[in-house]
Amino acid sequence: MKAIIPVAGAGTKLRPHTYTQPKALIPLAGRTILSIIIDQLVEAGISEFVFVVGYLGEKIQHYVEKKYPKLTCHFVHQASREGTGHAMLLTREVVGNDEILIVLGDTICECDFKEVIASPYSMLGLKKVDDPRNFGVAELDDQARITRVVEKPQIPKSNLALVGLYKIKETQQLFDCLQNNIDNKIKSHDEFQLTDALECMIEHGVQFNGFKVSNWFDCGRKDTLLETNAILLKKYKLASNPVLPYENTIIIPPVSIGEGCNIKNAIIGPNVAIGDNTVINYSIVKDSIIGSFSNLYEVVLKSSLIGSDANIRGLSQSLNIGDNTEIDLG
């Protein structure tokens, strides 16, 4: 089995950070979104990956090759972003006839991946949501078989959202449906959707079963990213990793502090993730993500997302600052 992770999106909802960093490499609970996904799949027994890259794709490739040198990795370039269906079709030559597990590059879910992989059927990950109109939606029969999938329906007939996990056994049927949709310009919401290809497969008799994920973390916007950071810090039990005797500093867990950080005269936490080689002095930081090689002096931060190589002086309350930024609030 091969895992396919599409990470070609521009991540516009996380501007300004995604001007210089792919969304999948945004730091999260001392790791990155992409590393959390890959680690889950490696633990489930997958060792061959296909990454669909585009925007800032060279950073994705460099990161994966450096951090996971023992994995077999393929990188497929999506020059024009025309939807998830278009991205999947680009992997056809690399996948061949192998079964695949597709995990969207901004999707962090908790489920039994080994059980999903072992299933004799194709499987789609599902989660009940309050408003399913912004998601792909699955309709099930009384035996948990999926009878229909629709992308962002205006009048949903189900509250079961597709979470971005797809285990496909009938890969040739998938690629045939994707090719048919593209040849005939079958789009939903102006894009070639993977959901439409799955519906084509269902109509041609392929059986899909649904499986429910226990948790589904949203990494697409600043506020939900900070919420996810707090949840995962608690889950990974990162009181700090480990706490070093920072000068005149109080650490309030859970906190993740990268290597080479210089922190003094500060209160850090709770729910803070700090990248490598960051300097923090005379500051209070809580409920925030701070990138690597940043400098914070005399600041009070809460609910903030700070990129790498940022320099901040003065007092503040809530910031959303991208990489290579310098701010003096004094």
Side-chain angles (χ1 to χ4, degrees), residues 23-34:
K23 178 168 63 173
L25 298 186
I26 295 292
L28 190 64
R31 302 159 79 179
T32 65
I33 297 171
L34 185 58

Side-chain angles (χ1 to χ4, degrees), residues 104-222:
L104 300 188
D106 57 357
T107 296
I108 297 177
C109 294
E110 293 182 344
C111 66
D112 189 337
F113 281 97
K114 291 182 179 179
E115 183 177 325
V116 173
I117 292 170
S119 171
Y121 303 106
S122 290
M123 306 279 283
L124 304 182
L126 307 174
K127 181 75 172 177
K128 286 185 179 181
V129 295
D130 294 330
D131 186 357
R133 291 176 296 176
N134 293 322
F135 306 97
V137 174
E139 299 173 20
L140 277 64
D141 62 18
D142 55 5
Q143 295 182 328
R145 292 179 300 201
I146 296 174
T147 58
R148 185 169 181 252
V149 290
V150 185
E151 183 67 24
K152 297 178 182 177
Q154 286 302 304
I155 305 177
K157 295 183 179 180
S158 163
N159 64 349
L160 291 172
L162 300 172
V163 301
L165 297 178
Y166 315 85
K167 182 269 189 83
I168 310 292
K169 294 178 66 69
E170 300 85 355
T171 49
Q172 289 310 303
Q173 289 93 321
L174 171 66
F175 290 128
D176 288 344
C177 283
L178 289 168
Q179 188 67 63
N180 175 74
N181 289 353
I182 290 176
D183 290 345
N184 293 284
K185 295 181 170 52
I186 299 173
K187 294 184 177 182
S188 294
H189 307 282
D190 296 321
E191 290 187 335
F192 296 110
Q193 302 286 353
L194 175 58
T195 307
D196 293 334
L198 300 175
E199 175 61 18
C200 169
M201 294 174 69
I202 293 170
E203 291 175 355
H204 284 82
V206 175
Q207 179 176 333
F208 283 91
N209 287 3
F211 68 95
K212 294 181 180 179
V213 300
S214 55
N215 286 302
W216 179 20
F217 301 112
D218 185 353
C219 303
R221 304 188 311 277
K222 175 200 167 188

Side-chain angles (χ1 to χ4, degrees), residues 5 27 33 41 50 62 71 78 95 103 105 150 206 215 225 227 237 263 275 277 305 322:
I5 305 179
I33 297 171
L41 300 182
V50 182
H62 176 75
L71 295 180
Q78 186 183 23
V95 169
V103 183
V150 185
V206 175
N215 286 302
L225 185 68
E227 290 175 9
K237 294 182 172 59
I263 301 173
N277 301 296
L305 184 56

